[in-house]
Amino acid sequence: MAEVLTPDICVIGGGSGGLSVAAAAAAFGVSCVLIERGKMGGDCLNTGCVPSKALLAAAKRAALAHGAQAFGVHATVDVNFAKVREHVQRVIAAIAPNDSVERFSGLGVQVIKGEAKFKDRRTVAVGNIYEIRARRFVIATGSQPSVPPIPGLDQGPYFTNDTIFDLAERPRHLVIIGAGSIGLEMAQGFRRLGSEVTVLEQATPLARDDPEAAAIVLTQLEREGVVVRSGVQVTGVDYIAHSAMVTFSGPDGEGKAEGSHLLVATGRKPASDALDLDAAGIAHDRGGIVVKKNLKTTNSRVYTIGDAAAGQLQFTHAANYHAGLVIRNALFRLPVRASNDAVPWVTFTDPELAQAGLTEAQARERKIKIRILRWPYHDNDRAQTERLTHGHIKVITTRKGRILGVTIVGAEAGELIALWVLAIAQKLNIRALTGIVLPYPTLSEIGKRAAIDFFTPSLTSPMLRRIIGWLRIFG
Ligand SMILES: Cc1cc2nc3c(=O)[nH]c(=O)nc-3n(C[C@H](O)[C@H](O)[C@H](O)COP(=O)(O)OP(=O)(O)OC[C@H]3O[C@@H](n4cnc5c(N)ncnc54)[C@H](O)[C@@H]3O)c2cc1C
């Protein structure tokens, strides 16, 4: 006989979203059961954000050493890939206690290790050991690599993000299928650590991003020796001896890329197959579990958050944002509305590419009359001292100056975007950014310089033009 549990909230999935819901529920003294079938921390900690950023950090050290000569410093670079892997695993281990069963049990959450499956509209079973009848369920089961049906692909070994961070030796030549954020981050990371890298993309690399900014990232990758073939369709994979021969067709006809290792980074699909959603009356499609604006599913007792929810952006901070909305709605009955417009994103290549609010293309699609303000990194003194002069900020405002969106491509873009996330969330006018005093010399000054640009064209008085000039120099 299964043990029956009746908590207020039952969370399925102990990754970014699920852990946030469970921690908040515990903090408010609400009884909570959390079910996790794999490693606590989910994708982000074990096979996603954390290992990828740790690998990129190692790669950056190698690139800095290579580039040190321009500063008058000579360094030799010797990458020990096994040690890089050790570094990645140590970073995961350092963060893991925050997400552990021990920590969550200590907070008062009942953690069950096992696979959850709906029995009916209000019951979830874990094997035949537990039956959970909760007041509310939160599905936070995340996503998994979506591997396309390429002829021959499954006849040999290929990597996805689930396995690539276990590699103990450096690939001689890594072929990557897919040039989204994950594919390009890995391309630069492995290239900087000494692998040859070829990326094959059927459409446009970084297609969701501002094309001008994406082009700057791609140019840098190519400068570093990454070969990127866009607009090519992979038609087959042959595993010959110790290599993978990938064939593709594109605008220039047929082509081949031979790699010692193959990484498939062609997107993500929801990981909800094991849940038996139909038993609970929860609608789902290929994009994920169908949710309303308040993240409730077609079964009003059940929410879905994070990567498993259809139509949502797939990021850790999006899953955390969803968790906050669900807590407000489920515990305090407050009305909530999830919006992708509130979710920034960053591609952690070098230069980084960060987006908050609308891209220029999205603003134009919405037929908004906009102003575009820019400032290049090369006109920033700190960027010059650091020799980090590639990139720019692009701010999109309404004609009256309300900030709608910001794209930053360049050094530290992922950090610099924070100010603009606040500005957009608070519906600030660009004027607010012109008055602040920022420390000199910092990269953050590029934002203020772009903001000042808003007032330039409307000024006809020579005196005012002189003031603007003065602000540019001293502001
Ligand atoms: C290589 C890579 C790099 C990334 N980098 C970034 C980044 O830099 N920044 C960023 O914001 N995002 C990044 N992401 C995305 C980020 O990892 C995800 O958006 C985030 O983990 C989603 O959180 P989640 O809670 O929806 O799912 P997850 O964190 O994946 O958690 C889902 C959990 O549910 C469990 N589960 C699934 N089914 C069941 C079941 N039936 N029963 C019990 N448990 C179940 C799984 O085992 C898993 O632990 C990256 C992803 C990848 C792959």
Side-chain angles (χ1 to χ4, degrees):
M1 257 292 266
E3 183 182 345
V4 176
L5 305 173
T6 56
D8 283 314
I9 294 192
C10 171
V11 181
I12 308 172
S16 309
L19 292 177
S20 300
V21 172
F28 287 113
V30 171
S31 59
C32 179
V33 164
L34 172 74
I35 309 166
E36 170 55 56
R37 70 176 175 188
K39 288 186 180 168
M40 292 287 279
D43 231 11
C44 185
L45 174 63
N46 301 294
T47 52
C49 334
V50 173
S52 61
K53 266 78 258 181
L55 185 117
L56 285 175
K60 189 175 187 175
R61 295 305 178 281
L64 287 174
H66 276 301
Q69 228 162 354
F71 295 77
V73 177
H74 188 78
T76 43
V77 181
D78 177 20
V79 175
N80 179 332
F81 199 79
K83 294 268 182 209
V84 171
R85 178 172 173 255
E86 248 178 69
H87 146 73
V88 171
Q89 297 306 325
R90 269 203 310 272
V91 173
I92 294 173
I95 298 173
N98 293 337
D99 294 356
S100 63
V101 173
E102 293 71 22
R103 170 161 179 252
F104 276 80
S105 303
L107 293 174
V109 176
Q110 180 171 359
V111 182
I112 297 174
K113 293 304 300 282
E115 187 165 79
K117 183 178 177 177
F118 281 95
K119 270 189 87 174
D120 56 45
R121 292 183 67 87
R122 58 157 310 177
T123 315
V124 160
V126 181
N128 49 16
I129 305 177
Y130 292 104
E131 271 191 20
I132 298 110
R133 293 192 197 136
R135 198 168 61 80
R136 295 279 179 264
F137 292 92
V138 181
I139 299 174
T141 49
S143 61
Q144 57 199 8
S146 166
V147 178
I150 298 168
L153 178 64
D154 57 3
Q155 301 301 306
Y158 64 88
F159 291 86
T160 65
N161 69 288
D162 286 345
T163 48
I164 193 81
F165 302 110
D166 294 333
L167 255 182
E169 58 194 41
R170 175 174 57 202
R172 173 182 54 76
H173 186 165
L174 181 64
V175 174
I176 302 177
I177 306 178
S181 304
I182 296 174
L184 292 187
E185 285 180 9
M186 290 302 94
Q188 192 175 41
F190 278 92
R191 178 69 196 133
R192 287 180 160 191
L193 292 170
S195 299
E196 281 180 59
V197 177
T198 303
V199 184
L200 305 171
E201 166 59 51
Q202 65 170 1
T204 311
L206 298 174
R208 183 173 46 197
D209 281 291
D210 181 74
E212 202 187 345
I216 290 175
V217 172
L218 285 171
T219 304
Q220 179 59 27
L221 261 64
E222 285 169 348
R223 204 176 279 152
E224 292 183 13
V226 175
V227 176
V228 182
R229 309 290 305 265
S230 311
V232 297
Q233 191 75 39
V234 173
T235 49
V237 177
D238 262 328
Y239 296 95
I240 307 158
H242 293 296
S243 64
M245 182 67 78
V246 182
T247 47
F248 55 86
S249 61
D252 305 327
E254 304 279 306
K256 283 179 196 285
E258 183 265 342
S260 58
H261 295 70
L262 176 59
L263 170 66
V264 179
T266 43
R268 316 274 308 159
K269 63 177 185 186
S272 50
D273 291 352
L275 289 171
D276 198 355
L277 295 167
D278 297 333
I282 298 170
H284 54 103
D285 57 30
R286 281 181 56 223
I289 297 175
V290 178
V291 288
K292 300 178 191 147
K293 287 286 177 203
N294 61 5
L295 299 170
K296 277 191 179 171
T297 65
T298 46
N299 176 340
S300 61
R301 199 180 283 281
V302 183
Y303 297 85
T304 297
I305 64 172
D307 284 13
Q312 306 300 315
L313 292 171
Q314 294 186 319
F315 299 108
T316 282
H317 49 277
N320 294 340
Y321 160 61
H322 294 166
L325 297 179
V326 164
I327 286 291
R328 269 188 258 168
N329 190 253
L331 300 192
F332 305 111
R333 295 179 193 276
L334 294 169
V336 294
R337 202 180 144 79
S339 162
N340 281 340
D341 289 354
V343 180
W345 68 84
V346 179
T347 299
F348 291 91
T349 43
D350 177 8
E352 293 180 353
L353 201 176
Q355 179 67 42
L358 302 182
T359 60
E360 179 184 348
Q362 284 171 330
R364 292 197 191 282
E365 264 164 36
R366 294 185 193 189
K367 309 252 181 285
I368 304 170
K369 290 192 173 148
I370 54 171
R371 289 272 314 270
I372 307 277
L373 315 169
R374 307 164 162 275
W375 197 263
Y377 271 62
H378 67 72
D379 278 350
N380 175 276
D381 292 0
R382 186 58 185 275
Q384 286 292 348
T385 64
E386 301 288 331
R387 291 181 167 265
L388 296 170
T389 50
H390 286 307
H392 63 253
I393 183 170
K394 178 169 172 182
V395 182
I396 294 112
T397 69
T398 61
R399 287 274 165 89
K400 290 194 166 163
R402 190 167 135 216
I403 304 161
L404 299 175
V406 178
T407 307
I408 307 178
V409 59
E412 307 293 339
E415 303 292 335
L416 298 178
I417 202 74
L419 171 73
W420 298 94
V421 173
L422 178 70
I424 294 167
Q426 295 300 311
K427 301 187 176 23
L428 290 187
N429 190 284
I430 194 74
R431 192 181 301 274
L433 274 297
T434 61
I436 53 175
V437 180
L438 293 173
Y440 170 88
T442 54
L443 296 176
S444 59
E445 290 175 292
I446 59 164
K448 182 171 171 181
R449 296 310 177 109
I452 291 169
D453 236 18
F454 182 83
F455 297 97
T456 309
S458 60
L459 296 173
T460 46
S461 133
M463 172 60 86
L464 284 177
R465 281 196 179 284
R466 233 172 288 140
I467 292 171
I468 289 293
W470 183 83
L471 276 173
R472 285 220 169 116
I473 297 164
F474 300 108

